PDB file of all heavy atoms in Angstrom:
ATOM      1  N   MET A1022      56.843  69.639  27.150  1.00 58.00           N
ATOM      2  CA  MET A1022      55.451  69.342  26.822  1.00 58.00           C
ATOM      3  C   MET A1022      54.802  70.522  26.101  1.00 58.00           C
ATOM      4  O   MET A1022      54.097  70.335  25.106  1.00 58.00           O
ATOM      5  CB  MET A1022      54.656  68.997  28.077  1.00 58.00           C
ATOM      6  CG  MET A1022      53.240  68.573  27.791  1.00 58.00           C
ATOM      7  SD  MET A1022      52.351  68.408  29.306  1.00 58.00           S
ATOM      8  CE  MET A1022      52.035  66.711  29.363  1.00 58.00           C
ATOM      9  N   ARG A1023      55.014  71.731  26.594  1.00 62.00           N
ATOM     10  CA  ARG A1023      54.456  72.912  25.972  1.00 62.00           C
ATOM     11  C   ARG A1023      54.986  73.075  24.542  1.00 62.00           C
ATOM     12  O   ARG A1023      54.241  73.389  23.618  1.00 62.00           O
ATOM     13  CB  ARG A1023      54.794  74.169  26.790  1.00 62.00           C
ATOM     14  CG  ARG A1023      54.074  75.397  26.244  1.00 62.00           C
ATOM     15  CD  ARG A1023      54.412  76.663  26.967  1.00 62.00           C
ATOM     16  NE  ARG A1023      54.290  76.531  28.406  1.00 62.00           N
ATOM     17  CZ  ARG A1023      54.823  77.361  29.285  1.00 62.00           C
ATOM     18  NH1 ARG A1023      55.521  78.393  28.855  1.00 62.00           N
ATOM     19  NH2 ARG A1023      54.693  77.186  30.566  1.00 62.00           N
ATOM     20  N   SER A1024      56.268  72.829  24.333  1.00 67.00           N
ATOM     21  CA  SER A1024      56.849  72.920  22.987  1.00 67.00           C
ATOM     22  C   SER A1024      56.211  71.905  22.060  1.00 67.00           C
ATOM     23  O   SER A1024      55.945  72.189  20.889  1.00 67.00           O
ATOM     24  CB  SER A1024      58.358  72.682  23.040  1.00 67.00           C
ATOM     25  OG  SER A1024      58.980  73.704  23.796  1.00 67.00           O
ATOM     26  N   GLY A1025      55.937  70.700  22.567  1.00 64.00           N
ATOM     27  CA  GLY A1025      55.298  69.673  21.762  1.00 64.00           C
ATOM     28  C   GLY A1025      53.886  70.052  21.366  1.00 64.00           C
ATOM     29  O   GLY A1025      53.446  69.840  20.235  1.00 64.00           O
ATOM     30  N   VAL A1026      53.135  70.640  22.311  1.00 62.00           N
ATOM     31  CA  VAL A1026      51.757  71.065  22.021  1.00 62.00           C
ATOM     32  C   VAL A1026      51.770  72.194  20.991  1.00 62.00           C
ATOM     33  O   VAL A1026      50.978  72.197  20.050  1.00 62.00           O
ATOM     34  CB  VAL A1026      51.045  71.505  23.323  1.00 62.00           C
ATOM     35  CG1 VAL A1026      49.725  72.178  23.018  1.00 62.00           C
ATOM     36  CG2 VAL A1026      50.848  70.303  24.229  1.00 62.00           C
ATOM     37  N   VAL A1027      52.672  73.163  21.158  1.00 62.00           N
ATOM     38  CA  VAL A1027      52.766  74.261  20.209  1.00 62.00           C
ATOM     39  C   VAL A1027      53.122  73.728  18.821  1.00 62.00           C
ATOM     40  O   VAL A1027      52.555  74.158  17.808  1.00 62.00           O
ATOM     41  CB  VAL A1027      53.811  75.299  20.693  1.00 62.00           C
ATOM     42  CG1 VAL A1027      54.101  76.317  19.615  1.00 62.00           C
ATOM     43  CG2 VAL A1027      53.301  75.996  21.958  1.00 62.00           C
ATOM     44  N   ALA A1028      54.022  72.779  18.740  1.00 63.00           N
ATOM     45  CA  ALA A1028      54.403  72.198  17.448  1.00 63.00           C
ATOM     46  C   ALA A1028      53.227  71.472  16.813  1.00 63.00           C
ATOM     47  O   ALA A1028      53.012  71.559  15.588  1.00 63.00           O
ATOM     48  CB  ALA A1028      55.597  71.251  17.631  1.00 63.00           C
ATOM     49  N   ALA A1029      52.432  70.757  17.599  1.00 58.00           N
ATOM     50  CA  ALA A1029      51.265  70.030  17.072  1.00 58.00           C
ATOM     51  C   ALA A1029      50.211  70.992  16.536  1.00 58.00           C
ATOM     52  O   ALA A1029      49.630  70.795  15.463  1.00 58.00           O
ATOM     53  CB  ALA A1029      50.667  69.133  18.145  1.00 58.00           C
ATOM     54  N   VAL A1030      49.954  72.070  17.285  1.00 52.00           N
ATOM     55  CA  VAL A1030      48.977  73.069  16.828  1.00 52.00           C
ATOM     56  C   VAL A1030      49.458  73.744  15.573  1.00 52.00           C
ATOM     57  O   VAL A1030      48.679  73.971  14.620  1.00 52.00           O
ATOM     58  CB  VAL A1030      48.703  74.104  17.962  1.00 52.00           C
ATOM     59  CG1 VAL A1030      47.901  75.279  17.437  1.00 52.00           C
ATOM     60  CG2 VAL A1030      47.990  73.426  19.119  1.00 52.00           C
ATOM     61  N   ALA A1031      50.732  74.032  15.489  1.00 56.00           N
ATOM     62  CA  ALA A1031      51.283  74.667  14.290  1.00 56.00           C
ATOM     63  C   ALA A1031      51.168  73.734  13.081  1.00 56.00           C
ATOM     64  O   ALA A1031      50.850  74.166  11.968  1.00 56.00           O
ATOM     65  CB  ALA A1031      52.741  75.060  14.528  1.00 56.00           C
ATOM     66  N   ALA A1032      51.395  72.452  13.292  1.00 53.00           N
ATOM     67  CA  ALA A1032      51.284  71.491  12.195  1.00 53.00           C
ATOM     68  C   ALA A1032      49.849  71.383  11.708  1.00 53.00           C
ATOM     69  O   ALA A1032      49.584  71.330  10.514  1.00 53.00           O
ATOM     70  CB  ALA A1032      51.800  70.125  12.648  1.00 53.00           C
ATOM     71  N   LEU A1033      48.897  71.375  12.617  1.00 48.00           N
ATOM     72  CA  LEU A1033      47.492  71.304  12.239  1.00 48.00           C
ATOM     73  C   LEU A1033      47.037  72.580  11.521  1.00 48.00           C
ATOM     74  O   LEU A1033      46.176  72.519  10.648  1.00 48.00           O
ATOM     75  CB  LEU A1033      46.610  71.068  13.460  1.00 48.00           C
ATOM     76  CG  LEU A1033      46.663  69.647  14.033  1.00 48.00           C
ATOM     77  CD1 LEU A1033      45.839  69.566  15.307  1.00 48.00           C
ATOM     78  CD2 LEU A1033      46.159  68.639  13.012  1.00 48.00           C
ATOM     79  N   ALA A1034      47.615  73.700  11.895  1.00 53.00           N
ATOM     80  CA  ALA A1034      47.246  74.956  11.258  1.00 53.00           C
ATOM     81  C   ALA A1034      47.679  74.996   9.789  1.00 53.00           C
ATOM     82  O   ALA A1034      47.132  75.750   8.999  1.00 53.00           O
ATOM     83  CB  ALA A1034      47.869  76.132  12.003  1.00 53.00           C
ATOM     84  N   MET A1035      48.613  74.155   9.426  1.00 52.00           N
ATOM     85  CA  MET A1035      49.098  74.132   8.048  1.00 52.00           C
ATOM     86  C   MET A1035      48.218  73.291   7.123  1.00 52.00           C
ATOM     87  O   MET A1035      48.376  73.331   5.920  1.00 52.00           O
ATOM     88  CB  MET A1035      50.533  73.625   8.030  1.00 52.00           C
ATOM     89  CG  MET A1035      51.481  74.549   8.794  1.00 52.00           C
ATOM     90  SD  MET A1035      53.115  73.874   8.927  1.00 52.00           S
ATOM     91  CE  MET A1035      53.751  74.284   7.333  1.00 52.00           C
ATOM     92  N   VAL A1036      47.281  72.507   7.679  1.00 50.00           N
ATOM     93  CA  VAL A1036      46.399  71.677   6.863  1.00 50.00           C
ATOM     94  C   VAL A1036      45.415  72.596   6.141  1.00 50.00           C
ATOM     95  O   VAL A1036      44.742  73.409   6.749  1.00 50.00           O
ATOM     96  CB  VAL A1036      45.625  70.656   7.746  1.00 50.00           C
ATOM     97  CG1 VAL A1036      44.635  69.889   6.902  1.00 50.00           C
ATOM     98  CG2 VAL A1036      46.594  69.728   8.435  1.00 50.00           C
ATOM     99  N   PRO A1037      45.317  72.468   4.808  1.00 48.00           N
ATOM    100  CA  PRO A1037      44.403  73.362   4.066  1.00 48.00           C
ATOM    101  C   PRO A1037      42.947  73.062   4.391  1.00 48.00           C
ATOM    102  O   PRO A1037      42.503  71.939   4.353  1.00 48.00           O
ATOM    103  CB  PRO A1037      44.702  73.068   2.605  1.00 48.00           C
ATOM    104  CG  PRO A1037      45.496  71.811   2.581  1.00 48.00           C
ATOM    105  CD  PRO A1037      46.051  71.586   3.945  1.00 48.00           C
ATOM    106  N   THR A1038      42.211  74.102   4.719  1.00 41.00           N
ATOM    107  CA  THR A1038      40.790  73.947   5.047  1.00 41.00           C
ATOM    108  C   THR A1038      39.920  74.019   3.812  1.00 41.00           C
ATOM    109  O   THR A1038      38.774  73.613   3.837  1.00 41.00           O
ATOM    110  CB  THR A1038      40.338  75.021   6.052  1.00 41.00           C
ATOM    111  OG1 THR A1038      40.603  76.303   5.495  1.00 41.00           O
ATOM    112  CG2 THR A1038      41.044  74.861   7.374  1.00 41.00           C
ATOM    113  N   LEU A1039      40.425  74.537   2.700  1.00 36.00           N
ATOM    114  CA  LEU A1039      39.628  74.601   1.486  1.00 36.00           C
ATOM    115  C   LEU A1039      39.263  73.226   0.964  1.00 36.00           C
ATOM    116  O   LEU A1039      38.202  73.053   0.371  1.00 36.00           O
ATOM    117  CB  LEU A1039      40.378  75.373   0.401  1.00 36.00           C
ATOM    118  CG  LEU A1039      40.546  76.863   0.650  1.00 36.00           C
ATOM    119  CD1 LEU A1039      41.370  77.473  -0.473  1.00 36.00           C
ATOM    120  CD2 LEU A1039      39.190  77.539   0.736  1.00 36.00           C
ATOM    121  N   ALA A1040      40.088  72.236   1.212  1.00 37.00           N
ATOM    122  CA  ALA A1040      39.786  70.892   0.756  1.00 37.00           C
ATOM    123  C   ALA A1040      38.508  70.370   1.418  1.00 37.00           C
ATOM    124  O   ALA A1040      37.713  69.678   0.814  1.00 37.00           O
ATOM    125  CB  ALA A1040      40.944  69.957   1.055  1.00 37.00           C
ATOM    126  N   PHE A1041      38.296  70.727   2.679  1.00 37.00           N
ATOM    127  CA  PHE A1041      37.103  70.270   3.375  1.00 37.00           C
ATOM    128  C   PHE A1041      35.872  71.026   2.892  1.00 37.00           C
ATOM    129  O   PHE A1041      34.822  70.444   2.706  1.00 37.00           O
ATOM    130  CB  PHE A1041      37.258  70.460   4.894  1.00 37.00           C
ATOM    131  CG  PHE A1041      38.364  69.634   5.464  1.00 37.00           C
ATOM    132  CD1 PHE A1041      39.488  70.231   5.985  1.00 37.00           C
ATOM    133  CD2 PHE A1041      38.296  68.250   5.479  1.00 37.00           C
ATOM    134  CE1 PHE A1041      40.511  69.466   6.511  1.00 37.00           C
ATOM    135  CE2 PHE A1041      39.315  67.481   5.990  1.00 37.00           C
ATOM    136  CZ  PHE A1041      40.430  68.095   6.508  1.00 37.00           C
ATOM    137  N   ALA A1042      36.001  72.304   2.646  1.00 38.00           N
ATOM    138  CA  ALA A1042      34.851  73.104   2.224  1.00 38.00           C
ATOM    139  C   ALA A1042      34.385  72.733   0.829  1.00 38.00           C
ATOM    140  O   ALA A1042      33.197  72.679   0.560  1.00 38.00           O
ATOM    141  CB  ALA A1042      35.191  74.597   2.275  1.00 38.00           C
ATOM    142  N   SER A1043      35.290  72.415  -0.069  1.00 38.00           N
ATOM    143  CA  SER A1043      34.894  72.105  -1.433  1.00 38.00           C
ATOM    144  C   SER A1043      34.426  70.675  -1.603  1.00 38.00           C
ATOM    145  O   SER A1043      33.903  70.317  -2.650  1.00 38.00           O
ATOM    146  CB  SER A1043      36.059  72.383  -2.381  1.00 38.00           C
ATOM    147  OG  SER A1043      37.121  71.499  -2.097  1.00 38.00           O
ATOM    148  N   SER A1044      34.636  69.816  -0.617  1.00 40.00           N
ATOM    149  CA  SER A1044      34.246  68.423  -0.756  1.00 40.00           C
ATOM    150  C   SER A1044      32.818  68.157  -0.310  1.00 40.00           C
ATOM    151  O   SER A1044      32.355  67.029  -0.371  1.00 40.00           O
ATOM    152  CB  SER A1044      35.207  67.521   0.028  1.00 40.00           C
ATOM    153  OG  SER A1044      35.058  67.758   1.408  1.00 40.00           O
ATOM    154  N   CYS A1045      32.096  69.162   0.124  1.00 40.00           N
ATOM    155  CA  CYS A1045      30.723  68.971   0.595  1.00 40.00           C
ATOM    156  C   CYS A1045      29.811  68.619  -0.574  1.00 40.00           C
ATOM    157  O   CYS A1045      29.674  69.389  -1.520  1.00 40.00           O
ATOM    158  CB  CYS A1045      30.210  70.234   1.287  1.00 40.00           C
ATOM    159  SG  CYS A1045      28.535  70.044   1.904  1.00 40.00           S
ATOM    160  N   PRO A1046      29.161  67.426  -0.563  1.00 43.00           N
ATOM    161  CA  PRO A1046      28.350  67.014  -1.701  1.00 43.00           C
ATOM    162  C   PRO A1046      26.937  67.560  -1.703  1.00 43.00           C
ATOM    163  O   PRO A1046      26.171  67.266  -2.596  1.00 43.00           O
ATOM    164  CB  PRO A1046      28.323  65.484  -1.546  1.00 43.00           C
ATOM    165  CG  PRO A1046      28.385  65.285  -0.081  1.00 43.00           C
ATOM    166  CD  PRO A1046      29.284  66.386   0.431  1.00 43.00           C
ATOM    167  N   HIS A1047      26.560  68.359  -0.716  1.00 43.00           N
ATOM    168  CA  HIS A1047      25.190  68.828  -0.615  1.00 43.00           C
ATOM    169  C   HIS A1047      24.934  70.028  -1.509  1.00 43.00           C
ATOM    170  O   HIS A1047      25.655  71.017  -1.450  1.00 43.00           O
ATOM    171  CB  HIS A1047      24.838  69.213   0.829  1.00 43.00           C
ATOM    172  CG  HIS A1047      25.026  68.077   1.773  1.00 43.00           C
ATOM    173  ND1 HIS A1047      24.204  66.993   1.801  1.00 43.00           N
ATOM    174  CD2 HIS A1047      25.957  67.842   2.715  1.00 43.00           C
ATOM    175  CE1 HIS A1047      24.598  66.143   2.712  1.00 43.00           C
ATOM    176  NE2 HIS A1047      25.680  66.636   3.276  1.00 43.00           N
ATOM    177  N   PRO A1048      23.913  69.973  -2.356  1.00 43.00           N
ATOM    178  CA  PRO A1048      23.607  71.141  -3.186  1.00 43.00           C
ATOM    179  C   PRO A1048      22.989  72.253  -2.328  1.00 43.00           C
ATOM    180  O   PRO A1048      22.545  72.006  -1.210  1.00 43.00           O
ATOM    181  CB  PRO A1048      22.578  70.606  -4.182  1.00 43.00           C
ATOM    182  CG  PRO A1048      21.959  69.438  -3.515  1.00 43.00           C
ATOM    183  CD  PRO A1048      23.011  68.867  -2.597  1.00 43.00           C
ATOM    184  N   ALA A1049      22.990  73.435  -2.870  1.00 41.00           N
ATOM    185  CA  ALA A1049      22.377  74.562  -2.152  1.00 41.00           C
ATOM    186  C   ALA A1049      20.895  74.276  -1.955  1.00 41.00           C
ATOM    187  O   ALA A1049      20.266  73.651  -2.809  1.00 41.00           O
ATOM    188  CB  ALA A1049      22.584  75.839  -2.947  1.00 41.00           C
ATOM    189  N   PRO A1050      20.306  74.719  -0.819  1.00 42.00           N
ATOM    190  CA  PRO A1050      18.891  74.453  -0.587  1.00 42.00           C
ATOM    191  C   PRO A1050      18.022  75.001  -1.707  1.00 42.00           C
ATOM    192  O   PRO A1050      18.254  76.091  -2.208  1.00 42.00           O
ATOM    193  CB  PRO A1050      18.611  75.210   0.730  1.00 42.00           C
ATOM    194  CG  PRO A1050      19.938  75.410   1.358  1.00 42.00           C
ATOM    195  CD  PRO A1050      20.930  75.465   0.243  1.00 42.00           C
ATOM    196  N   GLY A1051      17.041  74.210  -2.114  1.00 43.00           N
ATOM    197  CA  GLY A1051      16.107  74.636  -3.127  1.00 43.00           C
ATOM    198  C   GLY A1051      16.608  74.497  -4.548  1.00 43.00           C
ATOM    199  O   GLY A1051      15.904  74.801  -5.488  1.00 43.00           O
ATOM    200  N   ARG A1052      17.838  74.035  -4.747  1.00 42.00           N
ATOM    201  CA  ARG A1052      18.368  73.880  -6.108  1.00 42.00           C
ATOM    202  C   ARG A1052      17.985  72.527  -6.645  1.00 42.00           C
ATOM    203  O   ARG A1052      18.041  71.530  -5.965  1.00 42.00           O
ATOM    204  CB  ARG A1052      19.884  74.010  -6.095  1.00 42.00           C
ATOM    205  CG  ARG A1052      20.279  75.452  -5.834  1.00 42.00           C
ATOM    206  CD  ARG A1052      21.680  75.724  -6.157  1.00 42.00           C
ATOM    207  NE  ARG A1052      21.983  75.486  -7.549  1.00 42.00           N
ATOM    208  CZ  ARG A1052      23.213  75.616  -8.017  1.00 42.00           C
ATOM    209  NH1 ARG A1052      24.191  75.951  -7.231  1.00 42.00           N
ATOM    210  NH2 ARG A1052      23.471  75.398  -9.278  1.00 42.00           N
ATOM    211  N   HIS A1053      17.626  72.503  -7.893  1.00 46.00           N
ATOM    212  CA  HIS A1053      17.270  71.281  -8.571  1.00 46.00           C
ATOM    213  C   HIS A1053      18.485  70.778  -9.324  1.00 46.00           C
ATOM    214  O   HIS A1053      19.133  71.538 -10.029  1.00 46.00           O
ATOM    215  CB  HIS A1053      16.102  71.523  -9.539  1.00 46.00           C
ATOM    216  CG  HIS A1053      15.812  70.364 -10.425  1.00 46.00           C
ATOM    217  ND1 HIS A1053      15.220  69.234  -9.962  1.00 46.00           N
ATOM    218  CD2 HIS A1053      16.066  70.160 -11.720  1.00 46.00           C
ATOM    219  CE1 HIS A1053      15.099  68.371 -10.949  1.00 46.00           C
ATOM    220  NE2 HIS A1053      15.607  68.921 -12.034  1.00 46.00           N
ATOM    221  N   VAL A1054      18.810  69.530  -9.202  1.00 45.00           N
ATOM    222  CA  VAL A1054      19.943  68.962  -9.898  1.00 45.00           C
ATOM    223  C   VAL A1054      19.459  68.400 -11.222  1.00 45.00           C
ATOM    224  O   VAL A1054      18.645  67.489 -11.259  1.00 45.00           O
ATOM    225  CB  VAL A1054      20.605  67.843  -9.052  1.00 45.00           C
ATOM    226  CG1 VAL A1054      21.754  67.220  -9.809  1.00 45.00           C
ATOM    227  CG2 VAL A1054      21.065  68.404  -7.728  1.00 45.00           C
ATOM    228  N   ALA A1055      19.912  68.969 -12.308  1.00 46.00           N
ATOM    229  CA  ALA A1055      19.492  68.513 -13.636  1.00 46.00           C
ATOM    230  C   ALA A1055      20.043  67.120 -13.906  1.00 46.00           C
ATOM    231  O   ALA A1055      21.143  66.795 -13.510  1.00 46.00           O
ATOM    232  CB  ALA A1055      20.003  69.484 -14.698  1.00 46.00           C
ATOM    233  N   HIS A1056      19.248  66.305 -14.592  1.00 45.00           N
ATOM    234  CA  HIS A1056      19.641  64.907 -14.788  1.00 45.00           C
ATOM    235  C   HIS A1056      20.903  64.757 -15.618  1.00 45.00           C
ATOM    236  O   HIS A1056      21.629  63.806 -15.454  1.00 45.00           O
ATOM    237  CB  HIS A1056      18.489  64.104 -15.372  1.00 45.00           C
ATOM    238  CG  HIS A1056      18.136  64.481 -16.774  1.00 45.00           C
ATOM    239  ND1 HIS A1056      17.381  65.585 -17.091  1.00 45.00           N
ATOM    240  CD2 HIS A1056      18.439  63.900 -17.949  1.00 45.00           C
ATOM    241  CE1 HIS A1056      17.238  65.664 -18.393  1.00 45.00           C
ATOM    242  NE2 HIS A1056      17.864  64.652 -18.940  1.00 45.00           N
ATOM    243  N   GLN A1057      21.239  65.674 -16.490  1.00 47.00           N
ATOM    244  CA  GLN A1057      22.455  65.544 -17.257  1.00 47.00           C
ATOM    245  C   GLN A1057      23.639  66.195 -16.564  1.00 47.00           C
ATOM    246  O   GLN A1057      24.742  66.097 -17.045  1.00 47.00           O
ATOM    247  CB  GLN A1057      22.280  66.147 -18.661  1.00 47.00           C
ATOM    248  CG  GLN A1057      22.168  67.655 -18.690  1.00 47.00           C
ATOM    249  CD  GLN A1057      20.743  68.146 -18.493  1.00 47.00           C
ATOM    250  OE1 GLN A1057      19.859  67.400 -18.100  1.00 47.00           O
ATOM    251  NE2 GLN A1057      20.519  69.402 -18.766  1.00 47.00           N
ATOM    252  N   GLY A1058      23.463  66.815 -15.408  1.00 47.00           N
ATOM    253  CA  GLY A1058      24.542  67.558 -14.777  1.00 47.00           C
ATOM    254  C   GLY A1058      25.129  66.949 -13.549  1.00 47.00           C
ATOM    255  O   GLY A1058      25.764  67.622 -12.773  1.00 47.00           O
TER     256      GLY A1058
END
């Protein structure tokens, strides 16, 4: 059981976290979104 848990945690650690950070659709506070952009 412990080996299985360690393997699962290791597999999750390999998932790239940058994909989640760059997919956030919220603009920075106070920024105006130009209509052509």
Side-chain angles (χ1 to χ4, degrees):
M1022 185 188 247
R1023 187 182 310 163
S1024 296
V1026 170
V1027 170
V1030 170
L1033 287 175
M1035 297 174 80
V1036 175
T1038 57
L1039 291 177
F1041 297 113
S1043 66
S1044 67
C1045 181
H1047 302 289
R1052 289 195 61 183
H1053 171 73
V1054 178
H1056 68 281
Q1057 70 273 14

